[in-house]
Amino acid sequence: MTTARTKPLASTSNQAAIKEGRHAAFMNTAARRRLGLTVLGWTIAGVIFFPIFWMVLTGFKTEAAAIAEPSLIFSPTLESYTAVHGRADYFKFAMNSVVVAFGSTLLALLIAIPSAYSMAFLPTKRTKGTLLWMLSTKMLPPVGVLVPIYLLFRDVGLLDTRTGLIIVYTLMNLPIVVWMLYTFFKDLPKDILEAGRMDGASTLQEVLFLLLPLTLPGIASTGLLSVILSWNEAFWSLNLTSSNAAPLTAYIASFSSPEGLFWAKLSAASTMAIAPILVFGWLTQKQMVRGLTFGAVK
Amino acid sequence: MSTVTTSTRPVDAAPGRTAAARLQAWLPRLVLSPSIAISLFFVYGFMLWTFILSLTNSRMLPSYEFVGFAQYARLMENERWWVAATNLGIFGGLFVIICLGLGLLLAILLDQRIRQEGALRTIYLYPMALSFIVTGVVWKWLLNPGLGIQAMVRGWGFESFTFDWLIDPKMSVYTLVIAAVWQASGFVMALFLAGLRGIDDSIIKAAQLDGAGLPRIYWRVVIPCLRPVVFSAVMILSHIAIKSFDLVVALTGGGPGYSSDLPATFMYTHAFTRAQIGLGSASAMLMLGGVLAILIPYLYSELRSRKHG
């Protein structure tokens, strides 16, 4: 069947090529090459997305189905989701994640915007060096400061509190946030702020009414990156929280270690933890790509 | 650069308005100082504290009884530490190199102006938006010989297919590489794609006129242009490799045995579950030293060559 169908197609394309000359033949191979590459691209996308897809699928299976022969055909059930919620209050952990991720992002932006402003618009000889130094602190392994922070938090009662996590996440993301904001601010033509100053705007007005509205997309990307990083953070959340302030990452980890064999529940818990990011990320594709690449993609 | 900025801001130099001018000159420093002070205190202050702890015999609680470098000597004799340090070398090296290679190939693919490029880019980047904990969970399932890839391929009729790295002490560290590469190669792709788009078309046109084929153009013309992108990618990737902790916790738990321990998990185990704060601090300091020894020369050589080039 298939051979019979491809033959006439091939001959018509041959006739077309003869009719329209070499140019058409070239276009044809180019189009075919493009089609091949598109198929290849989507195949790779399928491979990359498969683990996520499979996890979401497993969350809708029963425990028995999850460890049976891998199969696409099964009767979906919400059993695991209700079980997960019954064992530990999902919404409490989700709320912790939301508060901590957004709280630390807001705080980081609040501290970073003035820094980035002064670096971008009032540069000195040492600005570049300072910036590089701030970034270089990100290269140092966090285990190097874990023990002191743990001891300090224990002594001042910040262990297992949202406030404690917000502080740590703010510190963690601050260098990246300052640096990204700096690059976005620098892209803004200087004349605009100059003009504002000519009209008698104070520095504060200049920042609030000119700089921030004009660089809003950049600030949004930066904020989104900070939210994602805080949302996903597990090193500090595992080490500094136990039950009260534990965010979703700690929640999944708690499912992972003692009962690693309950795959359906584990998948359901993980799915609930990543669903907000997957959905939100798809809706704000442009901002997400820009944020996750630290502003490299314009 | 600096001459340009001073000339556009004559206020700074005006002698009449000294108070305002002085404020203007100091403002950036004042505004910057909280960020810098915070970084200084938290990064260096706490590292110093860790260093001090590493010289003491602290166990469950920090004590300040100094024992010199005894903890470091103990560490040197600790076989588990060497496993962890070697693992970081294997994991970090393979992770960075494979991510760069795959990322570049994917970027070149997407650069061929194929359809729905935006959607593809987002899907390739998706893993990067996930927590390492989730990545660990997903791959723990896929790499589980009884459930994941091995079971699937066997189900298709290849009964002798074996893929049990997760439970093989010799191979377990490579499972970390697989999961981490899955997570980060799309990110490297996006960086490279942005770099490719930034290359001037006329350079490529010129090479084409000279009769160079596509692979040759990429190898000789395009890739050398991407050197700054490679630099940022290596920096970010090694940062990810160094701080890898959650992935190990979620994927292998350091096992089987301690075959897939990394220095971060080693440090955690000793400082918190085995009540060896002194030893844990010593391992943190050694890790820090190792990172500095490898990254600082690269950082400086790249920045210097960029200044001169």
Side-chain angles (χ1 to χ4, degrees):
Chain A
M1 252 330 258
T2 33
T3 42
R5 200 179 275 171
T6 45
K7 241 187 174 171
L9 263 177
S11 63
T12 43
S13 74
N14 271 346
Q15 281 162 5
I18 293 161
K19 217 181 267 171
E20 291 180 35
R22 282 194 50 183
H23 183 66
F26 174 74
M27 285 300 282
N28 210 337
T29 51
R32 208 175 293 162
R33 180 171 160 271
R34 234 180 79 166
L35 185 69
L37 288 174
T38 308
V39 170
L40 180 65
W42 279 101
T43 312
I44 295 172
V47 171
I48 290 178
F49 196 70
F50 176 76
I52 301 175
F53 166 74
W54 199 257
M55 190 187 72
V56 174
L57 211 61
T58 308
F60 288 105
K61 291 182 178 179
T62 59
E63 286 299 341
I67 56 170
E69 194 111 309
S71 149
L72 280 173
I73 303 140
F74 64 96
S75 45
T77 164
L78 286 173
E79 199 177 277
S80 310
Y81 283 89
T82 46
V84 160
H85 185 67
R87 206 202 83 155
D89 190 357
Y90 167 79
F91 292 104
K92 192 184 102 189
F93 294 92
M95 205 55 215
N96 282 339
S97 271
V98 170
V99 170
V100 169
F102 283 92
S104 67
T105 300
L106 276 181
L107 192 59
L109 284 176
L110 221 60
I111 302 175
I113 285 174
S115 305
Y117 170 83
S118 69
M119 280 180 172
F121 299 111
L122 305 163
T124 64
K125 257 182 267 169
R126 296 213 192 96
T127 298
K128 263 271 154 62
T130 314
L131 207 56
L132 271 177
W133 167 77
M134 279 186 90
L135 272 183
S136 77
T137 61
K138 284 295 289 176
M139 300 307 297
L140 304 171
V143 288
V145 293
L146 173 60
V147 174
I149 287 191
Y150 183 86
L151 295 175
L152 188 75
F153 271 33
R154 198 194 53 191
D155 293 344
V156 297
L158 280 175
L159 225 46
D160 202 14
T161 61
R162 288 175 179 171
T163 321
L165 270 195
I166 289 178
I167 293 173
V168 171
Y169 287 180
T170 304
L171 293 173
M172 179 182 83
N173 291 332
L174 198 55
I176 293 180
V177 172
V178 169
W179 180 67
M180 268 181 74
L181 287 179
Y182 167 79
T183 54
F184 289 129
F185 286 177
K186 253 184 75 113
D187 285 347
L188 193 73
K190 279 216 164 111
D191 316 347
I192 296 178
L193 291 190
E194 275 316 84
R197 209 170 301 150
M198 291 298 168
D199 288 347
S202 70
T203 308
L204 190 66
Q205 287 171 325
E206 194 183 301
V207 170
L208 284 182
F209 300 118
L210 283 173
L211 180 66
L212 295 188
L214 286 171
T215 53
L216 201 60
I219 296 174
S221 299
T222 313
L224 191 63
L225 174 71
S226 168
V227 168
I228 289 179
L229 288 177
S230 306
W231 185 275
N232 291 339
E233 212 288 327
F235 177 75
W236 294 108
S237 68
L238 285 177
N239 284 318
L240 297 179
T241 65
S242 49
S243 56
N244 290 333
L248 285 172
T249 43
Y251 172 73
I252 306 168
S254 81
F255 270 91
S256 175
S257 34
E259 18 190 328
L261 290 174
F262 292 100
W263 288 109
K265 292 194 191 69
L266 193 55
S267 302
S270 307
T271 304
M272 284 198 278
I274 63 166
I277 291 208
L278 291 187
V279 173
F280 197 59
W282 191 259
L283 295 178
T284 59
Q285 277 185 44
K286 222 175 152 186
Q287 307 296 334
M288 185 185 77
V289 169
R290 200 169 171 190
L292 280 179
T293 54
F294 304 97
V297 175
K298 288 280 141 70
Chain B
M1 227 0 237
S2 56
T3 49
V4 177
T5 43
T6 42
S7 67
T8 53
R9 215 173 299 286
V11 188
D12 288 359
R17 311 164 56 184
T18 40
R22 220 173 267 167
L23 185 69
Q24 190 85 344
W26 274 95
L27 196 65
R29 280 172 230 196
L30 282 178
V31 167
L32 269 177
S33 47
S35 308
I36 293 176
I38 290 170
S39 305
L40 263 179
F41 177 68
F42 275 88
V43 175
Y44 294 106
F46 282 0
M47 273 177 187
L48 189 68
W49 194 350
T50 308
F51 178 63
I52 291 169
L53 282 173
S54 75
L55 299 177
T56 66
N57 63 353
S58 308
R59 292 181 65 86
M60 194 137 102
L61 297 168
S63 86
Y64 293 95
E65 214 166 288
F66 286 93
V67 292
F69 287 91
Q71 300 285 15
Y72 291 89
R74 271 180 69 204
L75 200 59
M76 290 295 119
E77 285 161 10
N78 190 327
E79 197 215 326
R80 187 171 174 176
W81 161 254
W82 288 110
V83 170
T86 319
N87 277 346
L88 181 61
I90 297 174
F91 169 70
L94 283 178
F95 168 63
V96 171
I97 291 168
I98 297 176
C99 275
L100 285 178
L102 277 182
L104 184 62
L105 286 179
L106 289 179
I108 292 175
L109 172 69
L110 284 201
D111 195 34
Q112 308 302 313
R113 320 236 165 239
I114 61 179
R115 260 160 263 172
Q116 301 115 0
E117 182 203 306
L120 281 177
R121 197 173 61 178
T122 309
I123 294 177
Y124 289 2
L125 250 175
Y126 252 157
M128 191 68 184
L130 302 185
S131 168
F132 264 117
I133 291 279
V134 174
T135 305
V137 168
V138 169
W139 282 94
K140 195 177 183 173
W141 198 92
L142 283 173
L143 295 169
N144 185 313
L147 299 169
I149 298 173
Q150 179 177 313
M152 244 181 265
V153 177
R154 284 192 180 177
W156 296 337
F158 303 94
E159 285 300 333
S160 58
F161 178 82
T162 315
F163 188 53
D164 57 356
W165 289 5
L166 196 62
I167 52 167
D168 182 351
K170 279 200 207 86
M171 304 304 279
S172 55
V173 63
Y174 298 102
T175 60
L176 298 176
V177 177
I178 295 176
V181 164
W182 173 74
Q183 176 144 22
S185 46
F187 159 73
V188 181
M189 177 282 298
L191 285 188
F192 274 131
L193 189 59
L196 287 172
R197 293 283 151 82
I199 294 174
D200 196 352
D201 269 350
S202 60
I203 305 177
I204 296 167
K205 290 255 168 63
Q208 262 168 344
L209 284 179
D210 284 348
L214 201 59
R216 207 179 141 81
I217 291 178
Y218 269 106
W219 186 247
R220 301 302 290 261
V221 182
V222 175
I223 293 176
C225 288
L226 291 175
R227 199 170 155 180
V229 184
V230 173
F231 174 69
S232 3
V234 168
M235 280 301 169
I236 296 165
L237 290 175
S238 33
H239 161 69
I240 294 174
I242 291 160
K243 74 176 184 75
S244 282
F245 167 85
D246 23 14
L247 181 64
V248 185
V249 169
L251 181 58
T252 67
Y258 50 81
S259 59
S260 61
D261 246 353
L262 289 183
T265 50
F266 175 91
M267 191 271 173
Y268 171 75
T269 319
H270 283 80
F272 291 98
T273 57
R274 290 186 166 202
Q276 296 276 354
I277 286 186
L279 191 69
S281 304
S283 69
M285 288 319 290
L286 278 192
M287 190 181 166
L288 197 65
V291 168
L292 293 183
I294 295 170
L295 286 180
I296 297 289
Y298 179 57
L299 189 79
Y300 272 88
S301 72
E302 269 299 316
L303 291 181
R304 190 170 299 166
S305 70
R306 210 180 286 177
K307 214 177 264 174
H308 290 300

